[in-house]
Amino acid sequence: MAPLFALPSWMQRRNRRDAPPGSWRPILESNLPVVGKLTEEHQRQLFKHIKDFLAHKRFEGCGGLAVTEEIQVTIAAQACMLLLGRKTRTYPKLKTILVYPHTYQGGRKGLFGGDNGADARLGESWAVGVVVLAWDSVLGGARNFEDGHNVAFHEFAHQLDQEDGATDGAPILEERSAYSAWARVFSHEYKDLVDKTRKGRKSTMDRYGATNPAEFFAVATETFFEKPQQLKTKHPELYEELQYYYKVDPIQWT
Protein backbone atom coordinates (compact mmCIF):
# COMPACT_ATOMS: atom_id res chain seq x y z
CA MET A 1 0.00 0.00 0.00
CA ALA A 2 1.21 3.49 -0.80
CA PRO A 3 1.19 6.29 1.78
CA LEU A 4 -1.14 9.08 0.81
CA PHE A 5 0.34 11.24 -1.97
CA ALA A 6 3.75 9.55 -1.64
CA LEU A 7 5.11 8.95 -5.16
CA PRO A 8 8.64 7.91 -6.21
CA SER A 9 10.77 10.69 -7.65
CA TRP A 10 10.54 9.45 -11.24
CA MET A 11 6.75 9.37 -11.05
CA GLN A 12 6.69 12.84 -9.50
CA ARG A 13 8.64 14.19 -12.45
CA ARG A 14 6.59 12.31 -15.01
CA ASN A 15 3.23 13.20 -13.49
CA ARG A 16 3.91 16.65 -12.07
CA ARG A 17 0.88 18.15 -13.76
CA ASP A 18 -1.31 15.44 -12.16
CA ALA A 19 0.00 16.03 -8.63
CA PRO A 20 -2.76 17.08 -6.21
CA PRO A 21 -2.78 20.53 -4.60
CA GLY A 22 -1.45 20.49 -1.06
CA SER A 23 -4.84 21.54 0.28
CA TRP A 24 -6.33 18.20 -0.75
CA ARG A 25 -4.21 16.18 1.65
CA PRO A 26 -5.89 17.10 4.96
CA ILE A 27 -9.32 16.86 3.30
CA LEU A 28 -8.80 13.33 2.01
CA GLU A 29 -6.93 12.11 5.07
CA SER A 30 -9.85 13.24 7.24
CA ASN A 31 -12.82 12.52 4.99
CA LEU A 32 -11.74 9.64 2.72
CA PRO A 33 -8.77 7.87 4.34
CA VAL A 34 -9.17 4.84 2.05
CA VAL A 35 -7.35 6.87 -0.63
CA GLY A 36 -4.15 6.25 1.31
CA LYS A 37 -4.57 2.51 0.71
CA LEU A 38 -4.72 2.81 -3.07
CA THR A 39 -1.73 1.84 -5.18
CA GLU A 40 0.49 4.63 -6.48
CA GLU A 41 -0.95 4.19 -9.97
CA HIS A 42 -4.53 4.34 -8.73
CA GLN A 43 -3.73 7.46 -6.71
CA ARG A 44 -2.29 9.06 -9.85
CA GLN A 45 -5.42 8.17 -11.83
CA LEU A 46 -7.68 9.40 -9.05
CA PHE A 47 -6.01 12.81 -8.77
CA LYS A 48 -6.12 13.25 -12.54
CA HIS A 49 -9.84 12.46 -12.62
CA ILE A 50 -10.55 14.74 -9.65
CA LYS A 51 -8.79 17.65 -11.38
CA ASP A 52 -10.83 17.06 -14.53
CA PHE A 53 -14.02 16.70 -12.49
CA LEU A 54 -13.49 19.97 -10.64
CA ALA A 55 -12.51 21.79 -13.84
CA HIS A 56 -15.62 20.81 -15.81
CA LYS A 57 -18.47 20.16 -13.36
CA ARG A 58 -20.44 22.91 -11.65
CA PHE A 59 -21.21 22.71 -7.93
CA GLU A 60 -24.24 24.57 -6.62
CA GLY A 61 -25.13 24.89 -2.94
CA CYS A 62 -28.80 24.51 -2.01
CA GLY A 63 -30.71 25.16 1.19
CA GLY A 64 -28.27 27.86 2.23
CA LEU A 65 -25.16 25.70 1.88
CA ALA A 66 -21.95 27.46 0.83
CA VAL A 67 -19.89 25.11 -1.36
CA THR A 68 -16.32 24.79 -0.09
CA GLU A 69 -13.20 23.09 -1.40
CA GLU A 70 -13.77 20.35 1.19
CA ILE A 71 -17.22 19.62 -0.25
CA GLN A 72 -15.98 19.64 -3.83
CA VAL A 73 -12.93 17.44 -3.25
CA THR A 74 -14.76 14.95 -1.02
CA ILE A 75 -17.56 14.46 -3.54
CA ALA A 76 -15.26 14.43 -6.58
CA ALA A 77 -12.93 11.88 -4.98
CA GLN A 78 -15.74 9.43 -4.32
CA ALA A 79 -17.20 9.91 -7.79
CA CYS A 80 -13.80 9.33 -9.37
CA MET A 81 -13.06 6.19 -7.37
CA LEU A 82 -15.63 4.52 -9.64
CA LEU A 83 -13.42 5.32 -12.64
CA LEU A 84 -10.13 3.81 -11.49
CA GLY A 85 -8.54 1.35 -13.90
CA ARG A 86 -11.10 2.01 -16.63
CA LYS A 87 -10.51 3.70 -19.96
CA THR A 88 -13.20 6.30 -19.66
CA ARG A 89 -13.78 10.02 -19.61
CA THR A 90 -14.73 11.74 -16.37
CA TYR A 91 -18.54 11.56 -16.45
CA PRO A 92 -18.93 13.14 -19.90
CA LYS A 93 -22.69 13.76 -19.53
CA LEU A 94 -22.57 15.15 -15.99
CA LYS A 95 -22.91 18.94 -15.75
CA THR A 96 -23.98 19.93 -12.24
CA ILE A 97 -23.84 18.68 -8.67
CA LEU A 98 -26.47 20.19 -6.37
CA VAL A 99 -25.52 19.90 -2.69
CA TYR A 100 -27.88 20.32 0.25
CA PRO A 101 -26.55 20.61 3.82
CA HIS A 102 -28.63 17.63 4.97
CA THR A 103 -31.58 15.45 3.98
CA TYR A 104 -33.82 17.42 1.66
CA GLN A 105 -37.42 17.19 0.54
CA GLY A 106 -38.22 15.87 -2.91
CA GLY A 107 -41.29 16.67 -4.96
CA ARG A 108 -40.41 20.08 -6.41
CA LYS A 109 -39.31 20.63 -9.98
CA GLY A 110 -35.93 22.32 -10.07
CA LEU A 111 -33.94 24.15 -12.69
CA PHE A 112 -33.10 20.90 -14.47
CA GLY A 113 -36.47 19.19 -14.04
CA GLY A 114 -37.07 16.08 -12.02
CA ASP A 115 -40.05 15.38 -9.77
CA ASN A 116 -39.87 12.11 -7.89
CA GLY A 117 -42.30 12.52 -5.03
CA ALA A 118 -42.44 14.60 -1.87
CA ASP A 119 -40.26 12.47 0.37
CA ALA A 120 -37.02 12.95 2.31
CA ARG A 121 -33.95 12.28 0.17
CA LEU A 122 -30.22 11.69 0.63
CA GLY A 123 -29.46 12.01 -3.07
CA GLU A 124 -30.62 11.39 -6.61
CA SER A 125 -29.29 11.21 -10.14
CA TRP A 126 -31.00 12.72 -13.17
CA ALA A 127 -30.41 11.56 -16.73
CA VAL A 128 -30.05 15.20 -17.81
CA GLY A 129 -26.61 15.37 -16.19
CA VAL A 130 -27.38 16.35 -12.60
CA VAL A 131 -26.55 14.68 -9.29
CA VAL A 132 -28.17 15.88 -6.06
CA LEU A 133 -26.56 15.05 -2.72
CA ALA A 134 -27.03 15.71 0.99
CA TRP A 135 -23.62 16.77 2.30
CA ASP A 136 -23.92 15.25 5.77
CA SER A 137 -24.76 11.87 4.21
CA VAL A 138 -21.88 12.17 1.74
CA LEU A 139 -19.45 12.90 4.57
CA GLY A 140 -20.76 10.11 6.77
CA GLY A 141 -20.55 7.60 3.94
CA ALA A 142 -16.99 8.62 3.07
CA ARG A 143 -15.68 8.39 6.63
CA ASN A 144 -17.42 5.07 7.38
CA PHE A 145 -16.08 2.91 4.59
CA GLU A 146 -17.20 -0.46 5.91
CA ASP A 147 -20.97 -0.27 6.37
CA GLY A 148 -21.93 -0.79 2.73
CA HIS A 149 -23.73 2.54 2.50
CA ASN A 150 -22.32 5.38 0.42
CA VAL A 151 -24.71 7.86 -1.17
CA ALA A 152 -22.03 9.29 -3.47
CA PHE A 153 -21.13 5.86 -4.87
CA HIS A 154 -24.84 5.14 -5.25
CA GLU A 155 -25.75 8.26 -7.21
CA PHE A 156 -22.64 8.29 -9.39
CA ALA A 157 -23.24 4.62 -10.20
CA HIS A 158 -26.59 5.81 -11.56
CA GLN A 159 -24.72 8.31 -13.72
CA LEU A 160 -22.60 5.48 -15.14
CA ASP A 161 -25.76 3.46 -15.74
CA GLN A 162 -27.36 6.40 -17.54
CA GLU A 163 -24.46 7.02 -19.94
CA ASP A 164 -26.07 4.81 -22.60
CA GLY A 165 -29.35 6.73 -22.35
CA ALA A 166 -31.21 4.14 -20.25
CA THR A 167 -31.50 3.70 -16.49
CA ASP A 168 -31.73 -0.07 -16.40
CA GLY A 169 -28.87 -1.44 -14.31
CA ALA A 170 -26.71 -2.19 -17.34
CA PRO A 171 -23.89 0.34 -17.88
CA ILE A 172 -21.74 0.43 -20.99
CA LEU A 173 -19.50 -2.64 -21.00
CA GLU A 174 -16.19 -3.02 -22.83
CA GLU A 175 -17.30 -5.83 -25.11
CA ARG A 176 -20.68 -6.72 -26.58
CA SER A 177 -20.12 -10.34 -25.61
CA ALA A 178 -20.01 -9.32 -21.93
CA TYR A 179 -23.68 -8.32 -21.80
CA SER A 180 -24.93 -11.90 -21.80
CA ALA A 181 -23.09 -12.87 -18.59
CA TRP A 182 -23.93 -9.50 -17.01
CA ALA A 183 -27.66 -9.94 -17.71
CA ARG A 184 -27.66 -13.53 -16.43
CA VAL A 185 -25.84 -12.76 -13.18
CA PHE A 186 -27.59 -9.48 -12.40
CA SER A 187 -31.03 -10.88 -13.20
CA HIS A 188 -30.47 -13.84 -10.87
CA GLU A 189 -29.00 -11.72 -8.05
CA TYR A 190 -31.72 -9.08 -8.34
CA LYS A 191 -34.47 -11.69 -8.15
CA ASP A 192 -32.72 -13.26 -5.16
CA LEU A 193 -32.64 -9.92 -3.32
CA VAL A 194 -36.30 -9.28 -4.17
CA ASP A 195 -37.17 -12.70 -2.77
CA LYS A 196 -35.15 -12.18 0.42
CA THR A 197 -36.68 -8.74 0.91
CA ARG A 198 -40.20 -10.07 0.48
CA LYS A 199 -39.54 -12.82 3.02
CA GLY A 200 -37.80 -10.47 5.47
CA ARG A 201 -34.47 -12.30 5.21
CA LYS A 202 -31.11 -10.57 5.58
CA SER A 203 -28.73 -9.97 2.68
CA THR A 204 -25.23 -8.60 2.22
CA MET A 205 -26.83 -5.85 0.14
CA ASP A 206 -29.32 -3.25 1.30
CA ARG A 207 -32.92 -4.18 0.55
CA TYR A 208 -33.35 -0.88 -1.34
CA GLY A 209 -31.62 -2.69 -4.20
CA ALA A 210 -34.81 -4.73 -4.62
CA THR A 211 -36.65 -1.63 -5.83
CA ASN A 212 -35.71 -2.12 -9.49
CA PRO A 213 -32.66 -3.22 -11.57
CA ALA A 214 -31.20 0.29 -11.65
CA GLU A 215 -31.28 0.58 -7.86
CA PHE A 216 -29.85 -2.93 -7.60
CA PHE A 217 -26.80 -1.91 -9.66
CA ALA A 218 -26.28 1.19 -7.50
CA VAL A 219 -26.63 -0.77 -4.23
CA ALA A 220 -24.38 -3.55 -5.55
CA THR A 221 -21.78 -0.89 -6.34
CA GLU A 222 -21.91 0.45 -2.78
CA THR A 223 -21.47 -3.07 -1.43
CA PHE A 224 -18.67 -3.92 -3.87
CA PHE A 225 -16.55 -0.99 -2.73
CA GLU A 226 -17.37 -0.99 0.97
CA LYS A 227 -18.01 -4.67 1.83
CA PRO A 228 -15.97 -6.44 -0.85
CA GLN A 229 -15.00 -9.55 1.09
CA GLN A 230 -18.55 -10.23 2.20
CA LEU A 231 -19.89 -9.70 -1.33
CA LYS A 232 -17.25 -11.97 -2.86
CA THR A 233 -17.95 -14.70 -0.31
CA LYS A 234 -21.75 -14.57 -0.55
CA HIS A 235 -22.14 -13.56 -4.21
CA PRO A 236 -18.97 -14.57 -6.10
CA GLU A 237 -20.43 -14.26 -9.60
CA LEU A 238 -21.79 -10.80 -8.88
CA TYR A 239 -18.44 -9.75 -7.46
CA GLU A 240 -16.71 -11.05 -10.58
CA GLU A 241 -19.02 -9.05 -12.88
CA LEU A 242 -18.51 -5.86 -10.87
CA GLN A 243 -14.75 -6.42 -10.81
CA TYR A 244 -14.82 -6.89 -14.59
CA TYR A 245 -16.65 -3.59 -14.97
CA TYR A 246 -14.82 -1.45 -12.39
CA LYS A 247 -11.34 -2.96 -13.05
CA VAL A 248 -10.35 -2.86 -9.37
CA ASP A 249 -10.36 -5.26 -6.43
CA PRO A 250 -11.43 -3.31 -3.31
CA ILE A 251 -10.41 -6.23 -1.10
CA GLN A 252 -6.85 -4.98 -1.55
CA TRP A 253 -7.78 -1.74 0.22
CA THR A 254 -9.23 -3.35 3.35
Side-chain angles (χ1 to χ4, degrees), residues 14 29-30 44 48 50 85 87 91 110 135 146-147 152 157 163 174 192-193 195 202 211 227 230 244:
R14 178 181 174 184
E29 286 184 339
S30 173
R44 186 193 68 80
K48 184 176 180 180
I50 294 175
K87 295 179 180 179
Y91 296 97
W135 168 239
E146 299 177 352
D147 65 352
E163 284 183 354
E174 272 189 331
D192 180 65
L193 183 59
D195 184 59
K202 291 184 178 181
T211 304
K227 299 171 72 175
Q230 295 97 313
Y244 164 79

Side-chain angles (χ1 to χ4, degrees), residues 180-233:
S180 177
W182 182 278
R184 176 182 61 81
V185 172
F186 269 76
S187 177
H188 170 75
E189 294 287 351
Y190 169 62
K191 290 177 181 177
D192 180 65
L193 183 59
V194 170
D195 184 59
K196 286 180 178 177
T197 300
R198 185 173 59 248
K199 294 178 180 179
R201 295 167 55 193
K202 291 184 178 181
S203 172
T204 307
M205 291 172 282
D206 190 278
R207 65 180 58 188
Y208 188 65
T211 304
N212 57 52
E215 296 299 347
F216 179 78
F217 170 64
V219 166
T221 293
E222 293 179 79
T223 313
F224 175 73
F225 281 96
E226 293 212 350
K227 299 171 72 175
Q229 188 61 66
Q230 295 97 313
L231 188 67
K232 186 174 184 178
T233 301

